[in-house]
Amino acid sequence: MHGGIFAPLVRALAPHRTLHVVDLPGHGESDWNGTDPFTLRACIDAIVPLVPRATWIGWSLGGLVALRAALDGNSHLNGVVALAASPRFTRAPDWPDAVEDSVLEEFARGLEIDHRATVKRFLALEAQGSDHLRDDLRFLQGEILARPAPHPRVLVDGLAVLRETDLRAELPELRVPSLWIGGRRDRLVPWRALEAGARLAPGGGSVQIAQAGHAPFLSHADEVAGILLDWLPARAL
């Protein structure tokens, strides 16, 4: 994905806040040399020089980028919003509300064989659960073509980040406000995982969008914008 997918949320927030919408390395218009590893810290290092101090809002994989930056004590962050993102994406004996590692492993294999078909399957999974499934899927499919296609290597590395990252042990050390927003019908990041993440973070808050899936900023952009504006009434988003 790239920053263009936030268009509905940007339209809702732009009259009230200054926004800086980024493409992660190797996605959309963002450069990537094709050889450097795609990691959370590589993403942070690419973003920090380009944006002022702000609250970072990250969706899914982007949520891990935002959380990692906040946990690193980055002075660029006023706060962090995990949008359909949890501190650990894959299931474990002590973390049942997550996807099986085999699901992401299968997508990784598919990317090696036919990345376009695999991306379409992943988009369908992201849209599942929304009460606007067809509209969300149509938007995702159209928007992903609006900017250059991501490098296949970045997609594989991104899945590896989702499979391997576990920030749970560090969350009690989070020193900025955090908000966790998720859809009750999310098939990729179950709502209970966001609740658990919020409980681990000091002062963390969580909000559920009852009729949303993995992309609540598409299906319920105005509602998500209202939640954000209420949470940080006096700060730049």
Side-chain angles (χ1 to χ4, degrees):
M1 299 284 93
H2 53 72
I5 60 166
F6 287 111
L9 186 59
V10 167
R11 285 194 295 269
L13 289 174
H16 311 283
R17 296 290 188 275
T18 297
L19 306 174
H20 302 268
V21 185
V22 304
D23 291 346
L24 295 181
H27 297 75
E29 304 289 352
S30 183
D31 291 335
W32 185 64
N33 61 18
T35 57
D36 290 341
F38 178 87
T39 65
L40 297 181
R41 286 198 170 90
C43 293
I44 295 165
D45 290 344
I47 295 169
V48 164
L50 303 178
V51 299
R53 182 177 175 86
T55 292
W56 284 25
I57 303 172
W59 172 54
S60 199
L61 172 63
L64 291 178
V65 175
L67 286 168
R68 179 71 271 163
L71 288 167
D72 286 350
N74 199 297
S75 61
H76 265 62
L77 274 73
N78 290 324
V80 60
V81 178
L83 188 54
S86 79
R88 179 186 173 109
F89 273 65
T90 54
R91 192 171 298 173
D94 61 345
W95 193 252
D97 298 310
V99 297
E100 292 285 357
D101 181 74
S102 59
V103 174
L104 299 183
E105 185 178 359
E106 181 182 349
F107 276 116
R109 286 196 299 267
L111 288 171
E112 299 281 5
I113 299 169
D114 186 343
H115 83 275
R116 291 183 183 276
T118 303
V119 167
K120 287 183 178 179
R121 286 174 48 224
F122 198 73
L123 293 179
L125 183 59
E126 289 176 336
Q128 281 183 14
S130 170
D131 59 351
H132 304 291
L133 187 149
R134 290 184 179 178
D135 291 339
D136 289 358
L137 184 56
R138 188 180 302 113
F139 180 86
L140 286 168
Q141 290 175 336
E143 196 60 37
I144 198 172
L145 299 175
R147 300 185 189 182
H151 194 287
R153 185 72 251 166
V154 164
L155 297 180
V156 173
D157 287 353
L159 283 172
V161 170
L162 293 180
R163 294 175 62 191
E164 297 167 6
T165 301
D166 187 347
L167 304 178
R168 292 177 295 166
E170 298 178 68
L171 277 180
E173 304 302 318
L174 190 64
R175 292 293 179 261
V176 297
S178 65
L179 181 64
W180 307 67
I181 304 174
R184 183 176 63 84
R185 298 175 177 177
D186 194 335
R187 306 292 179 86
L188 279 172
V189 183
W191 163 247
R192 285 191 292 270
L194 276 80
E195 282 188 307
R199 287 195 298 269
L200 289 169
S206 60
V207 181
Q208 181 191 95
I209 310 295
Q211 305 301 318
H214 190 58
F217 59 90
L218 294 184
S219 58
H220 298 76
D222 289 339
E223 185 174 351
V224 172
I227 291 166
L228 292 170
L229 292 171
D230 287 343
W231 186 62
L232 291 177
R235 297 186 184 186
L237 287 168

